[in-house]
Amino acid sequence: MIQEILIVDGYNIIGAWPHLQQLKEIRLEEARDRLIEIMAEYQSFSGMKVILVFDAYYVPGLGGKYLQSRLPVYYTKEKETADELIERLVTAHVGRRKQVYVATSDMTEQHVIFGKGAFRIPASELLIKVRAARQDIRRKIEQDTDRRTNTFDSRLDKDTRDQLEKWRRGK
């Protein structure tokens, strides 16, 4: 079985998705937290391993790897670009039985990751995939709800239900 890995250029996606772009204008931290939530949900549903990368350009001095909602989130070191870290992650993950994708709309980065053996997913395509996953989740929840309310008992008329209840109680 092939393991699929999705490496996401966080600030590139925030800048490309309209609802996160608007949120970024108000509070960058909220846009970042919202993207983390979205990608953690997508990881859970899709089965892909998702790795989120944020550039130190916006958060100087931070750096390192954190696990948030079971999602590995990398913050680059100061003076390190997200592209550099993404390239290192691609190199580390490309291999047998692994398919690596990078979500970014940065054309230069797309060419570099192609050369390292990864595939690209433009920000707009990732948004479509995330929305489709959400619709699938809603559909499954509705089906589960329908199954719970569509019981054998609910199909019986009142007299039959009452008679079965009497028998159950031994009357």
Side-chain angles (χ1 to χ4, degrees):
M1 190 165 115
I2 294 177
Q3 179 187 21
E4 292 185 308
I5 300 167
L6 173 64
I7 301 171
V8 179
D9 184 343
Y11 289 123
N12 185 276
I13 298 299
I14 288 172
W17 290 2
H19 65 286
L20 292 180
Q21 174 63 35
Q22 290 173 349
L23 193 54
K24 176 186 168 192
E25 298 302 321
I26 300 166
R27 285 207 57 211
L28 177 62
E29 298 81 23
E30 285 185 36
R32 194 172 49 233
D33 290 345
R34 184 68 190 120
L35 180 60
I36 291 169
E37 289 171 18
I38 291 167
M39 296 317 304
E41 182 180 272
Y42 183 73
Q43 175 177 257
S44 296
F45 185 76
S46 70
M48 287 181 112
K49 178 182 178 180
V50 178
I51 300 170
L52 195 51
V53 176
F54 289 106
D55 202 309
Y57 176 77
Y58 291 104
V59 188
L62 288 179
K65 176 185 175 187
Y66 305 93
L67 199 61
Q68 293 179 250
S69 302
R70 297 183 180 168
L71 179 76
V73 179
Y74 287 82
Y75 293 91
T76 63
K77 299 173 194 140
E78 205 166 346
K79 297 184 182 176
E80 178 184 34
T81 67
D83 293 350
E84 291 169 338
L85 179 54
I86 289 169
E87 290 164 23
R88 279 202 328 272
L89 289 169
V90 167
T91 301
H93 286 93
V94 166
R96 293 177 56 150
R97 301 198 178 286
K98 291 183 180 179
Q99 184 58 64
V100 179
Y101 300 89
V102 176
T104 183
S105 291
D106 180 332
M107 287 303 292
T108 305
E109 183 62 13
Q110 289 176 7
H111 291 298
V112 172
I113 58 110
F114 272 140
K116 293 189 174 285
F119 295 96
R120 70 173 175 92
I121 298 178
S124 57
E125 186 178 326
L126 181 60
L127 183 57
I128 291 168
K129 288 177 180 281
V130 165
R131 286 178 176 164
R134 280 194 174 153
Q135 286 177 338
D136 287 346
I137 290 168
R138 273 190 226 107
R139 210 173 300 118
K140 285 187 180 206
I141 290 170
E142 287 170 6
Q143 287 173 351
D144 288 347
T145 303
D146 288 346
R147 283 189 199 121
R148 276 186 250 128
T149 58
N150 194 10
T151 61
F152 174 75
D153 182 52
S154 67
R155 296 180 182 182
L156 299 174
D157 63 80
K158 184 180 176 354
D159 292 338
T160 305
R161 251 193 330 267
D162 290 343
Q163 183 61 45
L164 288 172
E165 184 63 22
K166 285 180 187 175
W167 290 344
R168 186 178 78 81
R169 295 181 181 266
K171 295 181 181 177

